[in-house]
Amino acid sequence: MSKSLFKDFEPVSSKAWKQKTQMDLKGADYNNTLIWKTNEDINVKPFYHADEFETLPEVSNSKATEWDICQSISVTNAKEANLKAQDTLERGAEHILFNIASEAVSVDDLFQNIDLSKTSITIRCHFISEIFVEKLCTVTQSSSQKSKVAIHTDIIGNLARTGNWFSNLNDDYKKFDAILNATHQISVDLSLYQNAGATIVQQLAYGLAHVNEYLNHLESNKNTSLNKLEVTFNIAVGSNYFFEIAKTRALRQLWSTLASEYNTNTSCKIIATPSKRNKTIYDYNVNMLRTTTECMSAILGGANVICNLPYDSLFHKPNEFGDRIARNQLLVLKNESYFDKVNNPADGAYYIESLTEQLAEKALQLFKNIEANGGFLSQLKEGTIQRKIKESATKEQAEFDAEDIVLLGTNKHPNLADKMKNDLEISPFLKIENRKTLIEPIIEKRISEKLEIKRLNNE
């Protein structure tokens, strides 16, 4: 567009905009009226301006045109999971995430008739076994072309989630080292912290401290090279649209900063899934609206892989209809909403750039505090991480109870004729197991649970 169209207009500074706004407020205080503070201790202003940046932000190294549509499949029977994966790929999925609970699963059956050189696959093991990984590597590397299979093992994530190591610290790290030497891959699960109620700053800082424990270990292990390291972050995306875009971007910046200190690969892979924390069993179709905007945030933030959450996953067993709707949401976003046409669409947006910078700075400050106090594992054992997350979760719960946080159809405008007691195939509520643990586990919990239990009891 020709600049001559605007030659008669003088540029307006942020100071001038603020003065004009104060005049229009007619005596009301600008800060108290128009600026609001988030739980991340960030002041959100009514407008943002280019002159607030000393230098232009750097161009992001992610590519929003290259994100993959992912289908998550829980593997109990390898042949059934394989057939489901093939069907899913024919219906538009581009990436398969296999969640494997047992090493008894047949690797050959799991990959039958799947071209591993063309299909991106993530294997998430809920156990640790270097023998099983060796089987995976034998199958995936037998192709004449390079396999696109990634194997995720997160021993610290398991400790945080369950309160226990798979076996014990020494055995887990011994197996972890063997797996790493075979795959050169590290996986870090940040979704646990989000689903448990951590703030965005906490999620970023804890994720950074989490992966730093691995880097410290590898640096001290002379047999392991950091040069070929591939790091994947698994994140959960909440409903705070612009903040979640900024969170994904800030995570890349933070990893690049940390990785450069270890002289390792500064790029990372991000797999994003909508949060469970704000999903509901009543008026459950609204979950589709929530997951759509959350997937949009992940795409605009630059996630590599988007794995949608079926709208009925809280209370129904995995089913073809729920999976198809979740996949079709992503297909519509990718093929009908132009989300695959522009790289780095959030770059240069003053508001998002400002949020990204502030989230990264605050997370880095918290990360440094964690490291100064013994590191992530030490603070997990002391219960500091768990306490901080519970404090944030309690505050968020109080905001939901007071309707400051609104979940439409649940704590605002509920349909009281909606009955769910006979539709629960699985329990959607937190289950507490009485077992001995080394540390207090970090517990995922949805904010609507207490209200939903009350409604169910009154049906």
Side-chain angles (χ1 to χ4, degrees), residues 11-67:
V12 181
S13 67
S14 58
K15 183 178 180 180
W17 273 113
K18 184 174 180 179
Q19 290 174 341
K20 173 61 177 172
T21 304
Q22 286 177 320
M23 289 177 59
D24 290 344
L25 287 173
K26 297 179 180 179
D29 184 84
Y30 173 88
N31 291 328
N32 292 336
T33 306
L34 297 181
I35 294 180
W36 56 279
K37 185 183 290 290
T38 73
N39 289 336
E40 286 76 23
D41 196 31
I42 291 176
N43 290 324
V44 178
K45 303 183 296 183
F47 64 86
Y48 291 78
H49 196 284
D51 65 14
E52 297 171 351
F53 295 88
E54 294 182 3
T55 59
L56 291 176
E58 295 183 3
V59 176
S60 301
N61 60 7
S62 60
K63 293 184 177 181
T65 62
E66 297 181 1
W67 63 278

Side-chain angles (χ1 to χ4, degrees), residues 326-396:
R327 185 172 60 251
N328 286 351
Q329 288 174 257
L330 297 178
L331 285 167
V332 169
L333 286 177
K334 188 161 196 176
N335 299 318
E336 301 181 32
S337 305
Y338 302 98
F339 274 81
D340 65 334
K341 303 301 182 186
V342 180
N343 279 327
N344 310 316
D347 278 7
Y350 305 141
Y351 178 40
I352 297 176
E353 294 285 9
S354 176
L355 290 181
T356 302
E357 180 180 336
Q358 292 182 76
L359 289 173
E361 288 178 352
K362 290 181 179 295
L364 188 59
Q365 183 179 3
L366 179 54
F367 165 74
K368 290 179 178 178
N369 179 270
I370 293 170
E371 294 304 306
N373 286 279
F376 189 69
L377 275 177
S378 175
Q379 295 223 323
L380 267 181
K381 293 174 182 177
E382 293 171 2
T384 303
I385 302 295
Q386 296 91 321
R387 175 172 54 81
K388 292 294 185 181
I389 291 177
K390 283 194 287 187
E391 289 173 358
S392 299
T394 300
K395 183 178 180 180
E396 187 179 34

